[in-house]
Amino acid sequence: MSYQVFARKYRPKTFDDVLGQDHVVRTLRNAIEQKRLAHAYLFVGPRGTGKTSTARILAKALNCTGGPKADFDPNEDVCVEIAEGRSLDVLEIDGASNNGVEQVRDLRESVRFAPARGQFKIYYIDEVHMLSNAAFNALLKTLEEPPPHVKFIFATTEANKILPTILSRCQRFDLRPIPTDLIAKHLLHIASEENVKLDEAAAWAVAKGADGGMRDAQSMLDQLVAFCGDHITEANVLDVFGFTSREKVAQLASTLLSRQTPAALSLIQKEAESGRELGQLLGELVGALRALLVAKLDPSADGDGIPAELWQGLLSAADAYPPDRILSAIDVFAETEGRMKWSTNKRLHFELGLIKAIQVLGEVRLSDVIKVLAKGADSLGDAGIAAAIPAVVPSTPEPVREAAPAYEPEPEPEYVPEPAPLPPPPAKVWEPEEERAVAAPVSSVPKRSLDAITSRFDSLIAAAPEHSEPPPPLVEPPPFKSAETAAPPEPPKPTRAAVDENFHRDPLIEHALAALEGRVVG
């Protein structure tokens, strides 16, 4: 028999063998036991988390002898055929190579036929997100109302590429990345079954490098067995895959927290020259800082795989920093990781990020100054603050000085009403020459009258306003109207009575009447 790799040899066969997906296993078990089977299932998750294995186990539970039942015998011939891909009732289709409308039409034609041996005809489509939109639309009607003997199982790593109309017709199960400690335990179990001595540190290093994927970890273990033989150490894992040991990660984190820039740069240089993957080293460093941050917020948290003696040293070095400072350093390394992903000179960006993180840890902020001042005030207390403040009152008493008299405001002068204004002088009228000659001269006016006139002028000048009132606005004359537009009004015609009266008042007529002693009759 040909050699079979660990990923296929130790593939889960029953629901009990599935690791790290308890929420999916429990739901499927209850659905089978309660006869609440859906017509379409969708398994979503990263690579190596058990999507295909779970789909095959579900197919075994549905088509096993006496099924559907959750506890079946994986060694019976029906289950063996499904596990090996030889069953006529379980069709596994690759969505990447069968993504056209023609393949979906063939599938719709075959759906009408009854299963050959089991109770259900199961269609498993892997990487279903690779189907085209036309193929998805062609599958919609069949997927929504399939025959009662048909079940669909889909698997994908990118659920966002599947049409919402397909998602709404399926029961979705999200498979999570498998924890590191669970992968390490399973690797130790495989090594014991294969008579291989695997150190716990080596198993942890492999599990850490697998990043939550069981299949990746099993493939790495298979490669290590071919490289090392019967005994695998942590050094072998680091040499083969370029990983960094936990001691190196803890040492780099310690130099970062102690702000020893030359030592940290020298450590990065040695790791780069020895062929280590700097991106993986940066990820390990960020993981260590994240563990320190969680430990500050939750003292019961563990060291994320770092040995106990190294973890205690990191905790002591991190006591000098508040959680927000460590969080700032993590932000710096997150930006550095984004730059390193697309750069050819990864070492340069790693070193720049490390220097910037050390500066962030050592900078003094305004919040630190406020905390120091508040802590100093609390330590002094009331007595200390009173002693720290210099005395203002001298020890020797000063001589008593007489109090200065209180300020008394000067009395306001009594109000004296102003004298009544003199009447304006009469308007000057025309006088004959004789009267003007007889007028008295100024020297003949009494002195008392002159004084009264002078005081009156002074009072008028004092009472005059500082600013004169503006002159009244000029009244514009009415607009000129020409003779063409407006003719002047005609004078009224005199009546007969007015003519007779004016005739009698004529001076010539009056003089003639007086000379002749006549009178006007009628």
Side-chain angles (χ1 to χ4, degrees):
M1 185 178 179
S2 61
Y3 175 75
Q4 195 172 22
V5 297
F6 292 161
R8 296 183 58 188
K9 185 177 181 180
Y10 293 96
R11 182 188 292 271
K13 297 180 180 180
T14 62
F15 285 118
D16 296 333
D17 297 337
V18 179
L19 300 177
Q21 312 297 341
D22 296 338
H23 61 293
V24 177
V25 172
R26 181 179 178 181
T27 305
L28 294 177
R29 275 182 170 273
N30 294 339
I32 294 173
E33 293 174 358
Q34 299 174 9
K35 308 298 181 181
R36 301 177 61 88
L37 297 174
H39 60 275
Y41 295 91
L42 175 63
F43 295 142
V44 181
R47 67 185 189 279
T49 54
K51 297 185 295 297
T52 302
S53 300
T54 306
R56 289 181 177 178
I57 293 172
L58 178 59
K60 295 176 186 178
L62 295 179
N63 280 350
C64 65
T65 304
K69 57 182 180 180
D71 298 322
F72 55 88
D73 184 10
N75 296 322
E76 63 176 336
D77 53 351
V78 177
C79 297
V80 172
E81 290 179 0
I82 294 175
E84 294 178 356
R86 298 184 288 107
S87 177
L88 297 178
D89 296 334
V90 180
L91 303 178
E92 296 188 8
I93 303 173
D94 180 19
S97 56
N98 299 276
N99 56 1
V101 180
E102 295 297 332
Q103 289 81 5
V104 174
R105 289 176 180 174
D106 296 340
L107 186 149
R108 291 172 54 186
E109 293 294 332
S110 64
V111 161
R112 298 178 297 174
F113 299 103
R117 183 175 182 181
Q119 298 186 20
F120 298 98
K121 196 165 189 178
I122 302 172
Y123 292 88
Y124 172 67
I125 303 179
D126 194 13
E127 302 298 333
V128 68
H129 66 274
M130 299 295 292
L131 295 181
S132 62
N133 290 339
F136 274 130
N137 293 327
L139 187 62
L140 281 179
K141 189 62 178 178
T142 305
L143 182 62
E144 184 177 7
E145 297 178 356
H149 61 272
V150 174
K151 302 293 180 183
F152 288 98
I153 303 176
F154 302 141
T156 181
T157 56
E158 302 180 21
N160 58 311
K161 294 184 178 180
I162 302 178
L163 295 181
T165 52
I166 297 293
L167 294 176
S168 63
R169 289 167 169 82
C170 303
Q171 285 190 6
R172 174 172 173 171
F173 294 88
D174 289 277
L175 282 73
R176 305 165 184 168
I178 304 175
T180 304
D181 54 349
L182 196 59
I183 295 178
K185 291 179 182 179
H186 190 63
L187 292 179
L188 292 174
H189 168 71
I190 294 176
S192 62
E193 293 290 332
E194 296 292 329
N195 297 321
V196 175
K197 184 179 180 181
L198 177 65
D199 295 345
E200 292 187 2
W204 182 271
V206 173
K208 194 72 174 178
D211 195 18
M214 182 65 75
R215 184 174 63 241
D216 293 351
Q218 293 172 345
S219 301
M220 292 165 64
L221 179 61
D222 207 345
Q223 184 177 350
L224 287 170
V225 171
F227 176 76
C228 304
D230 297 338
H231 187 201
I232 302 174
T233 62
E234 184 182 13
N236 301 136
V237 178
L238 302 181
D239 292 338
V240 172
F241 300 107
F243 296 157
T244 305
S245 63
R246 293 175 292 176
E247 288 77 12
K248 291 290 184 181
V249 175
Q251 183 180 357
L252 181 58
S254 179
T255 55
L256 172 66
L257 295 175
S258 59
R259 288 181 288 173
Q260 299 177 5
T261 306
L265 295 178
S266 176
L267 183 59
I268 293 177
Q269 180 182 0
K270 292 179 181 179
E271 293 296 314
E273 292 176 353
S274 61
R276 299 289 185 262
E277 177 61 34
L278 294 183
Q280 191 266 345
L281 174 60
L282 179 58
E284 295 286 343
L285 178 60
V286 172
L289 294 178
R290 176 253 176 199
L292 290 174
L293 179 62
V294 173
K296 278 185 168 293
L297 303 176
D298 183 14
S300 61
D302 57 357
D304 195 17
I306 299 178
E309 61 275 6
L310 299 177
W311 177 246
Q312 294 300 326
L314 290 179
L315 287 178
S316 301
D319 288 340
Y321 303 102
D324 59 342
R325 200 61 58 85
I326 299 179
L327 184 61
S328 300
I330 294 177
D331 291 338
V332 171
F333 285 127
E335 296 177 0
T336 303
E337 188 174 9
R339 298 191 189 99
M340 290 177 59
K341 186 176 181 180
W342 307 106
S343 176
T344 55
N345 193 352
K346 300 182 183 297
R347 174 181 169 182
L348 173 62
H349 290 284
F350 196 176
E351 292 174 345
L352 293 178
L354 185 65
I355 295 173
K356 187 175 180 180
I358 292 176
Q359 292 177 353
V360 167
L361 291 175
E363 67 183 5
V364 179
R365 301 182 181 179
L366 182 59
S367 57
D368 301 332
V369 178
I370 294 175
K371 290 179 181 178
V372 171
L373 294 177
K375 189 178 297 184
D378 294 340
S379 61
L380 286 176
D382 295 339
I385 293 176
I389 299 176
V392 179
V393 181
S395 58
T396 58
E398 295 183 356
V400 180
R401 299 178 181 178
E402 295 182 359
Y407 171 75
E408 297 181 358
E410 298 181 358
E412 297 181 359
E414 297 182 0
Y415 174 73
V416 179
E418 297 182 358
L422 297 176
K428 186 175 181 181
V429 297
W430 179 82
E431 298 178 356
E433 294 292 334
E434 294 81 0
E435 293 182 2
R436 282 190 292 173
V438 178
V442 180
S443 60
S444 63
V445 180
K447 183 178 182 182
R448 185 177 299 176
S449 301
L450 290 176
D451 295 339
I453 294 172
T454 304
S455 61
R456 175 58 185 165
F457 276 115
D458 295 339
S459 61
L460 291 176
I461 292 173
E466 296 182 1
H467 303 284
S468 60
E469 298 181 358
L474 297 177
V475 179
E476 297 182 359
F480 174 76
K481 296 183 179 180
S482 63
E484 298 177 356
T485 58
E490 297 180 358
K493 297 181 179 180
T495 61
R496 181 59 181 260
V499 171
D500 295 341
E501 183 179 0
N502 293 335
F503 177 77
H504 297 158
R505 292 180 181 179
D506 187 273
L508 182 60
I509 299 299
E510 291 179 353
H511 182 73
L513 290 175
L516 299 175
E517 296 179 358
R519 58 185 182 88
V520 179
V521 180

